[in-house]
Amino acid sequence: MKVYSFNTLPGYEGLLTEKPEIVLFGAMLLPLGMAIVISCIGWLFRKLKLNLYIIQALLYTMLFAFFFGTVAVLILYFITDKNGVKLSYCWLAIVTGMFFFSIINTRSINKMFTDWSHTIKN
């Protein structure tokens, strides 16, 4: 029986071991870039009179992953042993958790933003 090792990320072990700071830049830039792309796709769907729940959930996932994932990876990078592979697994776990959170709570998050916009206008 083969045991899975968290020191391997298929195809990227060498790069992430040599330069673990790549995970920091990925944790910051990937969610922002994906949020821009998802926003453009959402805008296109709204122009076609389609409002997809998954687009909103993905957008919230990327925004939450940027805020919380970046902070978590920065803390782990400066406190732990700076292993890029383990940092990337931590970031992937955070993004996965944010995705499931966003899928479950998208309607509540939309209502929260709607309520805030009404409060700000008054």
Side-chain angles (χ1 to χ4, degrees):
M1 185 167 104
K2 187 175 179 180
V3 177
Y4 185 76
S5 171
F6 282 103
N7 288 322
T8 62
L9 187 68
Y12 297 102
E13 302 92 9
L15 178 67
L16 293 176
T17 303
E18 292 173 11
K19 301 175 184 176
E21 56 276 352
I22 289 176
V23 178
L24 293 174
F25 289 109
M28 286 185 238
L29 297 177
L30 188 67
L32 286 178
M34 292 298 295
I36 292 169
V37 170
I38 292 168
S39 295
C40 293
I41 292 170
W43 176 79
L44 181 67
F45 281 137
R46 279 192 299 278
K47 288 292 182 185
L48 296 172
K49 304 290 188 217
L50 298 171
N51 193 7
L52 295 178
Y53 186 82
I54 192 73
I55 297 291
Q56 293 173 346
L58 286 172
L59 185 61
Y60 292 142
T61 299
M62 290 300 119
L63 294 176
F64 289 146
F66 173 71
F67 291 118
F68 299 117
T70 302
V71 170
V73 169
L74 280 171
I75 290 170
L76 289 172
Y77 181 80
F78 289 113
I79 291 177
T80 62
D81 58 353
K82 293 183 176 73
N83 186 341
V85 177
K86 290 179 183 175
L87 286 172
S88 62
Y89 275 121
C90 290
W91 187 79
L92 287 173
I94 291 167
V95 169
T96 304
M98 292 298 167
F99 176 71
F100 288 120
F101 174 81
S102 296
I103 285 289
I104 293 168
N105 294 313
T106 297
R107 286 198 170 90
S108 299
I109 297 168
N110 284 341
K111 186 177 181 325
M112 177 188 68
F113 285 132
T114 304
D115 292 345
W116 281 358
S117 68
H118 289 300
T119 303
I120 291 171
K121 285 181 183 177
N122 294 331

